[in-house]
Amino acid sequence: MKAVDSVVAVYDSHEQAEHAIKLLQEAGVDMKTLSIAAKDTHTDEHVVGYYNAGDRMKYWGKIGAYWGGFWGLLFGSAMFAIPGLGPLLVAGPLVAWIIAGLEGAVVVGGVSALGAGLVSIGIPKDSVVEYETAIKSDKFVLIIHGSFDEVKQAEDVIEASRHKAYTVHGETVIA
């Protein structure tokens, strides 16, 4: 058995979330352990589109440079239309967790496909509802998921960032 943990932080603005990601990168946190999710609140601002270039998503629109920065740092990206949340932009391993939940027909009562992805990695359902509510409120949810040591390192950086809130979640899994 091994401990797998997550730290989830909520940010009020994309500048705060982007700054936290840069701090995590400078601290040596593995970028493959980071995910971010936020509503695509700018769909009414004449988004030209999204496309993949290799393993990176490109975003053409008013804040394309912002999302382009995330896509350049994090691995895996997608845009989902989730009932109750609306258009959702996701980068990092969370994309695979959501897809696995959808493909496996995982149904977790009261949460969206995003919630099913988070529950699948051990985030408690009550916390998932809190994160979905934050996203509905145009907040940015940053997730770091990995070993105890990786998450502890990330927590130290997150604690020093300008977050609205953060929580550490842990579980033991059979390796």
Side-chain angles (χ1 to χ4, degrees), residues 107-126:
V107 178
V108 180
V111 297
S112 67
L114 167 67
L118 292 173
V119 167
S120 76
I121 63 160
I123 307 285
K125 187 177 168 186
D126 59 334

Side-chain angles (χ1 to χ4, degrees), residues 3-171:
V4 176
D5 294 289
S6 299
V7 60
V8 182
V10 177
Y11 293 91
D12 286 324
S13 71
H14 63 84
E15 291 90 358
Q16 291 172 348
E18 185 172 28
H19 181 69
I21 289 172
K22 288 179 181 175
L23 290 175
L24 289 162
Q25 184 181 34
E26 289 170 5
V29 173
D30 183 358
M31 292 290 103
K32 292 180 182 177
T33 66
L34 270 68
S35 296
I36 190 157
K39 276 178 51 178
D40 186 8
T41 56
H42 303 282
T43 54
D44 60 339
E45 295 178 354
H46 309 293
V47 172
V48 177
Y50 309 88
Y51 69 94
N52 273 343
D55 62 350
R56 305 283 193 254
M57 180 186 276
K58 301 293 182 182
Y59 175 102
W60 290 351
K62 188 172 183 179
I63 61 167
Y66 162 69
W67 282 108
F70 277 155
W71 304 147
L73 291 173
L74 305 180
F75 295 86
S77 52
M79 190 273 202
F80 296 98
I82 298 180
L85 291 176
L88 183 71
L89 293 171
V90 180
L94 180 56
V95 172
W97 304 331
I98 291 171
I99 291 170
L102 294 171
E103 288 178 346
V106 173
V107 178
V108 180
V111 297
S112 67
L114 167 67
L118 292 173
V119 167
S120 76
I121 63 160
I123 307 285
K125 187 177 168 186
D126 59 334
S127 294
V128 167
V129 172
E130 180 183 325
Y131 303 138
E132 288 180 336
T133 301
I135 288 173
K136 286 179 189 176
S137 310
D138 297 330
K139 307 292 187 235
F140 295 76
V141 176
L142 178 65
I143 303 124
I144 299 93
H145 181 71
S147 70
F148 175 83
D149 292 336
E150 290 169 325
V151 169
K152 180 61 181 148
Q153 178 189 14
E155 179 189 6
D156 293 343
V157 175
I158 294 291
E159 192 171 44
S161 70
R162 292 181 46 212
H163 59 275
K164 179 178 175 68
Y166 82 90
T167 305
V168 176
H169 303 281
E171 72 170 14

